[in-house]
Amino acid sequence: ETGVTQSPTHLIKTRGQQVTLRCSSQSGHNTVSWYQQALGQGPQFIFQYYREEENGRGNFPPRFSGLQFPNYSSELNVNALELDDSALYLCASSLGGGQPWLTDTQYFGPGTRLTVL
Amino acid sequence: RKEVEQDPGPFNVPEGATVAFNCTYSNSASQSFFWYRQDCRKEPKLLMSVYSSGNEDGRFTAQLNRASQYISLLIRDSKLSDSATYLCVVSRTGGGNKLTFGTGTQLKVEL
């Protein structure tokens, strides 16, 4: 096991609602990245947080937002849910984050499976 | 064009077979390369990093050709437990930053 935990494991919402997903990083890791994996696709980068600051963002609209807390755990918030938001949401923790020369590994949590009806 | 392209498969092979997966990437600024393995409805797990000199880990061999922007993974003596989706992954910086995934290649190893 990676030591990265996510909650909840499954979630069902309706269009227009808002959702908050949570991630606890591996002990000692200061960086959390969030990915969205639609069925049959590879994970797509949403954003990364390094020491409580956003450290890079993928091609996702502003209704996808996040937070990182002093203990390095993180939240992903999605407003105004759309049917296409149905996916597996993965968080990954790593050490270092903002240093481009580091080749540290990202360790993934088990994911939250979100269904939007 | 997708930044990382893979044949989605599935590759159905008998136990003991050798199977090769290929991947191409479009961004020449990519610096770090990986193969991840993802079991059905599970999270991706790092299988191995890929180095320019090529590297081997037991039955698994990875190769990188920067000139052709091409990455490969060879699995020898396939086991039933190798059945999974194999994701080709690149990063423009170190592996702790944004990872760009291919769609994955599904492998089914059969008796």
Side-chain angles (χ1 to χ4, degrees):
Chain A
E1 298 301 325
T2 63
V4 180
T5 61
Q6 291 187 244
S7 64
T9 53
H10 295 86
L11 202 52
I12 299 175
K13 291 284 189 179
T14 56
R15 270 187 306 175
Q17 284 189 310
Q18 178 266 343
V19 69
T20 297
L21 311 182
R22 295 178 176 83
C23 171
S24 291
S25 57
Q26 188 175 110
S27 178
H29 284 183
N30 55 20
T31 302
V32 172
S33 304
W34 286 92
Y35 294 83
Q36 178 196 66
Q37 186 174 23
L39 198 61
Q41 302 296 315
Q44 299 292 309
F45 176 74
I46 303 175
F47 43 56
Q48 183 182 82
Y49 280 84
Y50 170 63
R51 294 187 173 181
E52 302 179 60
E53 297 289 330
E54 189 177 288
N55 181 45
R57 187 179 181 93
N59 189 25
F60 280 81
R63 58 190 186 83
F64 285 77
S65 63
L67 280 175
Q68 188 178 32
F69 300 100
N71 66 355
Y72 303 132
S73 66
S74 177
E75 284 182 357
L76 164 65
N77 298 291
V78 187
N79 293 322
L81 284 167
E82 301 176 0
L83 296 179
D84 285 348
D85 296 333
S86 295
L88 178 67
Y89 287 85
L90 296 159
C91 82
S93 79
S94 56
L95 179 64
Q99 314 311 318
W101 56 86
L102 286 177
T103 57
D104 53 301
T105 301
Q106 293 192 23
Y107 296 90
F108 285 83
T112 293
R113 193 164 296 279
L114 172 65
T115 301
V116 182
L117 302 175
Chain B
R1 182 186 173 189
K2 290 186 179 179
E3 196 168 334
V4 179
E5 299 218 43
Q6 293 182 252
D7 181 342
F11 283 45
N12 298 321
V13 302
E15 212 176 6
T18 295
V19 61
F21 302 137
N22 303 317
C23 164
T24 57
Y25 61 95
S26 61
N27 192 331
S28 59
S30 299
Q31 295 184 19
S32 303
F33 309 89
F34 311 91
W35 284 101
Y36 275 72
R37 170 195 168 128
Q38 186 171 29
D39 293 295
C40 187
R41 303 183 75 82
K42 299 283 191 180
E43 73 273 22
K45 293 184 179 177
L46 179 64
L47 179 65
M48 57 198 305
S49 299
V50 188
Y51 304 114
S52 296
S53 55
N55 48 300
E56 188 174 307
D57 182 2
R59 299 181 293 109
F60 299 84
T61 301
Q63 297 277 354
L64 167 64
N65 184 321
R66 285 185 185 269
S68 302
Q69 296 181 195
Y70 170 92
I71 307 163
S72 66
L73 176 68
L74 185 75
I75 305 175
R76 290 180 301 279
D77 189 22
S78 301
K79 311 289 185 192
L80 293 175
S81 57
D82 294 333
S83 297
T85 295
Y86 291 83
L87 296 156
C88 177
V89 186
V90 306
S91 173
R92 266 182 275 176
T93 57
N97 285 309
K98 172 190 171 183
L99 300 177
T100 301
F101 288 79
T103 54
T105 298
Q106 188 178 11
L107 172 66
K108 295 181 181 178
V109 182
E110 302 164 331
L111 286 171

